[in-house]
Amino acid sequence: MDMTRFVNTFGQYLRQKYAEKVHKVSVNASFTCPNRDGSKGIGGCTFCNNASFSPGSTRAGAISEQIRQAQEKAGARTGAKRFIAYFQSYSNTYGSPEDLKRYYDEALAQPGIIGLAVGTRPDCVSDPVLELLATYQAEGREVWLELGLQSSFDRTLDQINRGHSYSDYVDAVTRAKSFGLKLCTHLIVGLPGEAPEDSLISFDRVTSFGVDAIKIHPLHIVKGTQMARQWRNGQVRELTMESYTDVLAQMILRAPKELLFHRLTGSGERQYLLSPAWAMHKWDVLGMLYQKLEAAAG
């Protein structure tokens, strides 16, 4: 199964650019979010339990030590010798530029680190932070700003307690592009109240801005979240693998030629996942997707 026949994968992009495998390692700098600390709300997004997708990244400690341990594990598993420090947990631009620079500098100072991937929210990217990231990029670092949008529909964003609007995303993308930053947008398929067509509309809206990459994830119902309680009460419908791969195949087929896919699916952590069970079987999902792409190709 050669998915690169149909998809420009992030791994393929890195290998072509650096002539070797490059792996992302998660970093937790103990950030929070404005919809957790009370500035915009409390409780966070209804689907969010950071431990469910990156348990290691939720254990804070010295950034240098986090990276060293992650490099050892990833290097042993994949053979990678070069890495991107992925600031993953919560909103990793939600702080003063001075503090952010200290965290980012520490990560970049570690042996084997060639750049940064910074995950954050559209309402947490000030111009001074964008300028800081652009400075690293100008130095030849591999820098990616990852914006968690999830949906382009304000009604959905309100329902899942995102605490920002689609217009916040448009503003963040416009300003980030003015600094020349590479952008990856996160979308979730299967959010409550959304039909498959809604995910395709969000995809089309995002790609129309000329973002460099996309990261797609099926909705996970995980323990310790408001959405888990809603799911138990029958308020959230379970996404099927058939529906997910249908939507994903359509996204790939209509994607701009140069668009990179950082992720096609997500498995979560078994001890946290409540639904859907098929999400744990990544290769089954990719296999079904591949069959649909082959059929479309004739």
Side-chain angles (χ1 to χ4, degrees), residues 6-11 184 203 212-216 248 251-253 255-256 259-264:
F6 306 107
V7 182
N8 292 322
T9 67
F10 187 50
C184 175
F203 179 82
D212 303 276
I214 201 89
K215 184 177 283 189
I216 311 295
L248 190 52
M251 288 178 173
I252 291 168
L253 292 170
L259 185 72
L260 294 175
F261 283 80
H262 281 213
R263 183 201 289 145
L264 294 172

Side-chain angles (χ1 to χ4, degrees), residues 120-138:
T120 191
R121 294 160 48 93
D123 56 343
C124 292
V125 283
S126 65
D127 281 356
V129 173
L130 295 174
E131 184 177 11
L132 173 62
L133 293 175
T135 299
Y136 294 128
Q137 186 168 272

Side-chain angles (χ1 to χ4, degrees), residues 159 189-198 218-221 227 230-240 243 275-276 278:
Q159 186 173 348
V189 175
L191 286 168
E194 290 203 349
E197 293 76 18
D198 293 323
L219 178 66
H220 287 177
I221 311 298
M227 195 170 288
Q230 295 170 335
W231 173 77
R232 290 190 181 97
N233 292 332
Q235 297 171 276
V236 179
R237 185 173 60 183
E238 180 175 308
L239 178 68
T240 67
S243 178
S275 173
W278 57 261

Side-chain angles (χ1 to χ4, degrees), residues 100-266:
L100 296 174
K101 186 177 189 304
R102 187 171 69 254
Y103 298 141
Y104 300 157
D105 283 351
E106 182 178 353
L108 289 168
Q110 305 314 306
I113 296 295
I114 64 168
L116 302 172
V118 180
T120 191
R121 294 160 48 93
D123 56 343
C124 292
V125 283
S126 65
D127 281 356
V129 173
L130 295 174
E131 184 177 11
L132 173 62
L133 293 175
T135 299
Y136 294 128
Q137 186 168 272
E139 294 171 351
R141 304 285 191 172
E142 184 72 31
V143 177
W144 284 87
L145 179 64
E146 300 196 17
L147 294 176
L149 174 60
Q150 320 313 349
S151 171
S152 68
F153 293 92
D154 285 342
R155 66 175 186 271
T156 302
L157 298 176
D158 288 342
Q159 186 173 348
I160 62 177
N161 197 40
R162 283 295 291 176
H164 67 75
S165 66
Y166 177 59
S167 64
D168 289 326
Y169 169 80
V170 174
D171 173 66
V173 169
T174 302
R175 289 185 295 106
K177 287 178 70 66
S178 74
F179 283 93
L181 290 168
K182 293 191 286 291
L183 293 173
C184 175
T185 297
H186 296 205
L187 292 175
I188 294 177
V189 175
L191 286 168
E194 290 203 349
E197 293 76 18
D198 293 323
S199 292
L200 293 173
I201 291 171
S202 289
F203 179 82
D204 289 343
R205 287 173 174 171
V206 166
T207 55
S208 72
F209 289 106
V211 298
D212 303 276
I214 201 89
K215 184 177 283 189
I216 311 295
H217 199 301
L219 178 66
H220 287 177
I221 311 298
V222 296
K223 296 175 182 177
T225 64
Q226 174 64 24
M227 195 170 288
R229 292 185 285 275
Q230 295 170 335
W231 173 77
R232 290 190 181 97
N233 292 332
Q235 297 171 276
V236 179
R237 185 173 60 183
E238 180 175 308
L239 178 68
T240 67
M241 186 165 71
E242 183 74 29
S243 178
Y244 180 67
T245 51
D246 277 346
V247 172
L248 190 52
Q250 291 182 65
M251 288 178 173
I252 291 168
L253 292 170
R254 67 208 296 170
K257 184 178 180 181
E258 66 279 5
L259 185 72
L260 294 175
F261 283 80
H262 281 213
R263 183 201 289 145
L264 294 172
T265 188

